[in-house]
Amino acid sequence: MRKLVTLLFLLTINLQAQESLNKNKKLILKKTNSEIIIDGKIENVWNIADSVSSFVQYSPIYNTNPNRKTIAKVLSTEKSIYCLIICFDYRDNIETHTGKLDDFAGDMVSIMLDTFNDKRTAYKFAVSASGVRSDSRMLDDARNRDYNWDGIWFADSKIYDWGFVVEMEIPYKSIQYDKELTEWGLDFDRWIPHLKEDIYWCAYDENEGQRISKFGRLIFDGFTPDVKGLNLEIYPVGISKFTWLRGSKYDGDPDAGLDIFYNPSPKLSFQLTANPDFAQIEADPFDFNISRYESYFAERRPFFTEGNEVFQAAGRQRNSGFYRPLELFYSRRIGKKLPDGREVPLQFGSKAYGRLGQWEYGGFAAITGETDYIDDGESKTEPRAYFGSVRLKKQIMDNSSIGMLFVGKHDRDANHGVLDIDGAFRGSDWQLAYQAARSFKDSEGGYALSAGFTNFKQNWMTLARVRYVGENFDIDQLGFVPWKGNANIVALSGPRFYYESGEIRAILLYGGFFTGWQKEDKFWDYGGLIGYNMNFRSDWGFEINVDGGKSKDLDVRYSSFSANLSSWFNPTPKLHANLWGGYSRTYNFSREYLSFYSWMGCRVSYKIFDFMDVGTSYNMWIEGNPDGDVEDITYNARPFFSVTPVNDLNIKMYVDNVFVKSTDRMEQIIIGFFFAYNFSPKSWIYFAFNEVKDRSDRYDEFDNLLHNRMHTVNRVAVVKLKYLYYL
């Protein structure tokens, strides 16, 4: 039962209870007719703005005064909300990095706005000391994040001998909000890397983490935003694609596409794409899989990732992999890869989502084209298909929700669909998520259920999850639920010890049980588990967990066992590393026998210059045989470098390679090169190059099988221009 529990160190922070200190925290938003220039300089117009400076540490020393002073101000014009944040520090202490802003990559500040005052969702706008911008949507009372949201807003920064200043402009027409409100939820954040200090304007319980429901108040001074205008974004896309055929022959394929984003009101958004090309997306990493189920790969195509939280069931928590709802809408089924490597083209796609009172709603539609392909030497055709989804969700009981999701696909061969009811009951330190679904394939279908409970009290943690997938529950054309005829239950609980000072920050102990049923095996697997998690104030930690029990796979009954280690190290703002490994006795479905199986790996990244990152991931998988000897070892490394000479321009290169010990040679190499320049808001120039080499069969012009050598099976180069017209 490998990797049964994944508890990140953020779950092991102090569980001291406290009264909400934020009910009296408020900031008055005044309106001005004066021009505000976004340049990191403090103009006289900011003298009329209300300000706050009473920040509090969240880490490393919880609920204490910060070691550096921070002042935040806000102002409004008719069209935009503005933010000024003044950060005091010594110039030599300020970490400056160009390029992409990661969560802890250099000094940064952010403003968070709950624009519907629903205490569940908010926008986050972050800017580094060197002027790099990042934005996201905070969801489910800050339990989850959507980093794929991409807004149109402006920011700049300036470093002084005494610190740095950040200015932001957020146009009202770039965000959704309730224009009837006279106040929004508000918070500010500052990360000081050389002190490893994370400070907020609002105070939060350490067992809970940040909560939108505990934001302070942004009060409009005698006005409310009500921007009039078209609020239309149009993105013409020009593409030139060059695909290698053989020898020195290439196929040039110029093309064009169109993306449209339209906000008819502050509560409603439309997205449309026609003939998109996703060639700037890098290849999926290598995945080693000995289970009976297919591998999962995350969606990275921009049209599908932005706004995808609308079509997700309730219950996801970004800081824990313990419970995830069933993924009924898996967008990688749309425009999927075929057995011969071709991709089904997405010809048209459209999304709409918005709010009406306590209701959230969304709709999705897509059309894919008919595609001919070769499967095991046989010519086949993937038919034209129509996809659709509808989502409704209602806020209930202040911070809880209930919703319904439908996903469907129609082609000439069959109709596929799934309908679910899901939701979550929430307190600030607990959540009970639930989901019930029914699948349809013409007249056939089946049921699936899932639920998860999480509770983090002052000195105790309790987690539980249950899942049932009927043998006739088939959504392989729509979602990712491969566990047909499967049921399982997992529960664990344990104490946690927090230390207010010293090197050790927290210790978590837990234990529990698991049981599961698989129809193919007709057996209830069962067992127990224990774990130990330790978190240090110097920003590193580790977790060990062990489980064992009785299992049955393919008529083989055996005693199962696994031990897992994971760790994280962030010794400096420039260096980040993870190390993991494990050992198990389990059934190897790829080889169809019972044996030991072990794995280990690491991920390291280091910023050698302010403008350059280097790093690699490395994995090793060791397969045993029934005699207890090593059957084979597979190695995979993915070294990379990333250069950002100026903000918004990035050059990245990686090499993904697979080496197998039994053959004593490299079996696959993927080379990727990527250039991207964001020369204007949401306007990009891309150049991407990908080449795949492996040892698959190849033939000469007379169809004779050639010697098995590493050879190029795919090479493609793409130039892409995307430009925003903002009306």
Side-chain angles (χ1 to χ4, degrees):
M1 196 161 181
R2 183 167 74 94
K3 295 183 180 178
L4 175 65
V5 181
T6 303
L7 296 174
L8 300 183
F9 74 97
L10 289 175
L11 294 180
T12 65
I13 52 182
N14 177 28
L15 299 179
Q16 292 181 339
Q18 69 168 36
E19 294 289 332
S20 175
L21 303 177
N22 307 323
K23 59 184 179 182
N24 295 322
K25 291 208 166 187
K26 62 183 181 181
L27 186 63
I28 306 301
L29 179 59
K30 298 179 181 180
K31 188 176 179 181
T32 179
N33 294 320
S34 300
E35 180 184 10
I36 302 176
I37 301 172
I38 303 300
D39 57 4
K41 299 178 182 178
I42 307 173
E43 295 90 357
N44 290 333
V45 65
W46 285 108
N47 292 333
I48 68 170
D50 195 9
S51 66
V52 297
S53 60
S54 55
F55 284 68
V56 63
Q57 273 198 56
Y58 184 72
S59 66
I61 309 298
Y62 170 67
N63 203 25
T64 59
N65 291 326
N67 287 291
R68 300 291 185 268
K69 185 177 180 180
T70 306
I71 300 173
K73 297 186 176 187
V74 290
L75 276 176
S76 179
T77 63
E78 189 72 27
K79 295 182 178 180
S80 303
I81 183 172
Y82 292 81
C83 177
L84 171 76
I85 302 180
I86 305 170
C87 302
F88 292 90
D89 207 337
Y90 300 105
R91 177 188 284 268
D92 292 343
N93 291 335
I94 299 172
E95 293 283 344
T96 58
H97 303 307
T98 57
K100 184 179 181 296
L101 178 64
D102 296 319
D103 283 350
F104 300 102
D107 283 78
M108 57 83 69
V109 296
S110 64
I111 181 173
M112 290 151 281
L113 299 168
D114 177 4
T115 58
F116 285 91
N117 209 21
D118 62 6
K119 305 185 187 306
R120 292 184 302 115
T121 59
Y123 293 97
K124 180 173 182 176
F125 302 90
V127 184
S128 74
S130 51
V132 183
R133 300 179 303 117
S134 176
D135 52 28
S136 63
R137 290 269 290 144
M138 305 171 69
L139 310 169
D140 299 330
D141 202 7
R143 290 176 172 85
N144 201 0
R145 297 284 195 276
D146 176 18
Y147 291 103
N148 299 302
W149 183 79
D150 187 15
I152 296 178
W153 57 289
F154 309 93
D156 203 353
S157 65
K158 187 172 178 62
I159 297 175
Y160 301 88
D161 289 339
W162 48 264
F164 67 95
V165 173
V166 166
E167 283 186 298
M168 308 181 211
E169 178 192 357
I170 304 164
Y172 286 117
K173 69 178 182 178
S174 296
I175 57 177
Q176 291 189 332
Y177 61 91
D178 186 343
K179 64 181 181 180
E180 305 299 326
L181 295 176
T182 59
E183 64 179 61
W184 292 352
L186 173 70
D187 196 11
F188 301 98
D189 180 22
R190 179 183 176 187
W191 168 245
I192 310 173
H194 75 94
L195 299 173
K196 299 186 183 299
E197 194 168 291
D198 196 14
I199 65 174
Y200 291 88
W201 176 48
C202 296
Y204 301 103
D205 292 325
E206 279 239 343
N207 59 311
E208 301 168 8
Q210 188 183 25
R211 289 288 179 261
I212 299 170
S213 55
K214 294 188 176 182
F215 274 13
R217 301 160 62 201
L218 177 66
I219 301 173
F220 295 95
D221 185 21
F223 78 100
T224 55
D226 185 16
V227 172
K228 307 292 185 183
L230 194 56
N231 303 332
L232 177 65
E233 302 172 21
I234 302 175
Y235 308 90
V237 181
I239 309 160
S240 291
K241 190 173 185 178
F242 302 91
T243 304
W244 176 74
L245 300 176
R246 63 183 181 276
S248 59
K249 294 184 178 180
Y250 288 82
D251 178 30
D253 185 17
D255 207 346
L258 180 69
D259 294 333
I260 295 175
F261 189 93
Y262 176 44
N263 283 338
S265 79
K267 295 184 180 181
L268 177 62
S269 297
F270 285 105
Q271 283 181 263
L272 179 146
T273 186
N275 194 33
D277 185 281
F278 304 113
Q280 74 269 23
I281 305 301
E282 66 183 55
D284 290 317
F286 176 77
D287 182 70
F288 192 84
N289 187 354
I290 67 166
S291 78
R292 68 192 340 155
Y293 306 113
E294 66 172 305
S295 296
Y296 179 88
F297 294 101
E299 177 64 87
R300 290 184 290 180
R301 295 173 293 177
F303 173 73
F304 293 105
T305 56
E306 188 168 345
N308 66 344
E309 80 278 0
V310 177
F311 304 97
Q312 294 177 353
R316 292 174 182 263
Q317 292 194 202
R318 69 188 180 100
N319 289 337
S320 173
F322 181 77
Y323 171 75
R324 292 188 64 178
L326 300 174
E327 190 156 354
L328 306 181
F329 182 26
Y330 182 41
S331 56
R332 289 191 65 138
R333 305 296 190 200
I334 304 173
K336 63 185 179 182
K337 281 193 175 183
L338 298 170
D340 64 354
R342 300 183 190 181
E343 294 183 357
V344 177
L346 173 63
Q347 297 178 337
F348 172 85
S350 179
K351 284 192 289 189
Y353 46 92
R355 295 180 182 234
L356 185 62
Q358 298 297 312
W359 290 90
E360 296 180 49
Y361 57 89
F364 173 88
I367 302 173
T368 57
E370 183 177 288
T371 309
D372 297 324
Y373 66 98
I374 305 296
D375 184 11
D376 198 21
E378 181 181 355
S379 297
K380 296 183 178 180
T381 299
E382 179 74 16
R384 184 182 185 87
Y386 303 85
F387 295 83
S389 180
V390 176
R391 174 66 163 163
L392 291 173
K393 184 166 67 173
K394 189 178 190 301
Q395 184 175 348
I396 60 174
M397 300 170 59
D398 191 30
N399 202 11
S400 301
S401 65
I402 185 170
M404 183 202 75
L405 173 67
F406 170 78
V407 186
K409 175 188 177 182
H410 167 76
D411 59 34
R412 69 190 181 199
D413 298 327
N415 292 306
H416 304 264
V418 62
L419 178 68
D420 111 310
I421 296 175
D422 65 84
F425 296 103
R426 297 188 184 95
S428 59
D429 61 359
W430 65 273
Q431 175 177 272
L432 174 61
Y434 59 90
Q435 181 183 36
R438 172 72 156 85
S439 70
F440 305 90
K441 184 178 180 181
D442 292 332
S443 60
E444 301 176 352
Y447 294 91
L449 306 168
S450 71
F453 176 74
T454 58
N455 188 11
F456 295 93
K457 293 295 186 184
Q458 291 183 12
N459 301 307
W460 201 268
M461 175 201 73
T462 302
L463 305 175
R465 71 181 185 219
V466 59
R467 182 180 70 202
Y468 164 77
V469 180
E471 59 183 296
N472 296 318
F473 188 80
D474 182 3
I475 61 168
D476 291 347
Q477 299 295 313
L478 305 166
F480 187 88
V481 186
W483 315 286
K484 300 179 184 67
N486 177 292
N488 65 64
I489 301 171
V490 181
L492 57 91
S493 188
R496 181 190 175 280
F497 308 94
Y498 174 76
Y499 303 91
E500 294 185 357
S501 61
E503 176 62 16
I504 299 176
R505 186 177 182 187
I507 295 174
L508 172 66
L509 300 172
Y510 58 87
F513 73 92
F514 61 87
T515 183
W517 166 265
Q518 180 67 45
K519 180 182 180 297
E520 295 179 40
D521 304 319
K522 296 181 174 58
F523 183 79
W524 277 98
D525 295 354
Y526 63 91
L529 62 100
I530 56 173
Y532 180 84
N533 182 298
M534 199 167 187
N535 179 20
F536 296 86
R537 278 198 165 81
S538 52
D539 207 3
W540 74 279
F542 66 89
E543 179 172 351
I544 300 172
N545 60 69
V546 177
D547 64 76
K550 298 294 183 180
S551 298
K552 181 182 177 182
D553 290 306
L554 298 185
D555 296 325
V556 179
R557 294 182 63 170
Y558 60 97
S559 296
S560 61
F561 170 81
S562 74
N564 303 272
L565 166 68
S566 61
S567 59
W568 53 94
F569 307 90
N570 302 294
T572 74
K574 297 175 183 279
L575 177 62
H576 305 280
N578 296 85
L579 177 68
W580 58 85
Y583 175 90
S584 67
R585 185 170 186 264
T586 188
Y587 197 87
N588 187 327
F589 284 89
S590 67
R591 299 185 182 274
E592 298 185 348
Y593 55 62
L594 176 68
S595 64
F596 77 86
Y597 172 61
S598 186
W599 61 95
M600 63 183 64
C602 66
R603 183 180 295 110
V604 179
S605 65
Y606 182 65
K607 186 171 287 292
I608 58 176
F609 305 109
D610 285 350
F611 59 88
M612 185 175 184
D613 289 275
V614 296
T616 188
S617 63
Y618 176 80
N619 285 281
M620 179 171 67
W621 299 276
I622 305 171
E623 297 176 274
N625 59 33
D627 297 326
D629 299 323
V630 173
E631 180 68 22
D632 210 346
I633 304 176
T634 302
Y635 307 87
N636 172 238
R638 193 180 176 100
F640 75 91
F641 72 83
S642 178
V643 179
T644 51
V646 296
N647 289 343
D648 303 319
L649 189 154
N650 178 245
I651 300 170
K652 182 178 180 180
M653 184 172 181
Y654 67 92
V655 180
D656 193 309
N657 55 79
V658 179
F659 183 90
V660 178
K661 182 175 177 57
S662 60
T663 62
D664 196 30
R665 63 190 183 186
M666 203 74 72
E667 295 292 337
Q668 178 181 281
I669 298 176
I670 301 175
I671 301 171
F673 177 85
F674 181 49
F675 169 92
Y677 179 37
N678 184 197
F679 61 90
S680 182
K682 286 192 172 183
S683 299
W684 295 84
I685 296 175
Y686 294 105
F687 172 75
F689 172 85
N690 280 286
E691 179 170 306
V692 181
K693 296 176 178 287
D694 66 18
R695 297 182 184 276
S696 57
D697 291 343
R698 62 188 183 118
Y699 301 85
D700 64 16
E701 57 183 323
F702 303 107
D703 288 333
N704 297 313
L705 183 64
L706 298 176
H707 183 64
N708 189 291
R709 293 178 178 173
M710 183 73 74
H711 62 281
T712 300
V713 295
N714 186 32
R715 180 187 295 153
V716 62
V718 178
V719 179
K720 181 175 180 179
L721 173 64
K722 178 180 180 180
Y723 186 76
L724 165 65
Y725 289 97
Y726 190 38
L727 305 175

